[in-house]
Amino acid sequence: MSGVLLHTIKAGDGVNFPQKGHTVRVHYEGRLEDGKKFDSSRDKGRIFSFRLGMGQVIEGWDIGVAQMSKGQIAKLTVPAMFGYGVEGYPPVIPRNATLTFEIELIDFSMA
């Protein structure tokens, strides 16, 4: 999995997996290595959508979400090289940060 780790919290349907180019709809919560939450779609009160495999999100998400099935909730551990890299995303994401995300794959469809 290229250093990106996926740990299932709640199994999905195990049948329906998104493909490159699909629009996926997720809820997520992102945390730094110290456990501090830096972002959450639930806190914003809206589902987050993006086209899978099209570079619209960090590479770790494209890798991890592609392995999830519809309805699955997973913890995704993303090393810096598949996240925000050596530079980070100041002031929110520090340099060389490994990030963890809890992601729920709600649904997906053709773009």
Side-chain angles (χ1 to χ4, degrees):
M1 207 179 342
S2 306
V4 175
L5 301 176
L6 184 79
H7 173 76
T8 297
I9 296 169
K10 176 184 169 275
D13 67 11
V15 176
N16 296 294
F17 294 85
Q19 303 297 312
K20 182 176 180 178
H22 281 169
T23 297
V24 297
R25 288 173 285 288
V26 302
H27 264 308
Y28 69 90
E29 179 177 282
R31 293 189 180 269
L32 302 173
E33 290 175 273
D34 65 4
K36 179 181 175 188
K37 180 170 39 173
F38 64 86
D39 198 7
S40 169
S41 63
R42 292 188 194 279
D43 289 352
K44 294 176 183 176
R46 59 188 162 102
I47 293 170
F48 180 70
S49 299
F50 66 97
R51 289 189 62 208
L52 186 65
M54 306 303 285
Q56 294 180 344
V57 292
I58 59 173
E59 186 177 5
W61 272 40
D62 277 336
I63 293 168
V65 173
Q67 298 178 55
M68 296 175 67
S69 65
K70 185 175 178 179
Q72 184 174 352
I73 300 174
K75 177 183 175 184
L76 192 64
T77 303
V78 180
M81 66 187 294
F82 297 105
Y84 292 92
V86 295
E87 296 302 317
Y89 189 75
V92 180
I93 310 294
R95 297 171 54 86
N96 290 314
T98 294
L99 306 174
T100 59
F101 296 92
E102 182 175 297
I103 299 177
E104 176 184 4
L105 178 56
I106 297 167
D107 200 4
F108 58 89
S109 60
M110 295 297 294

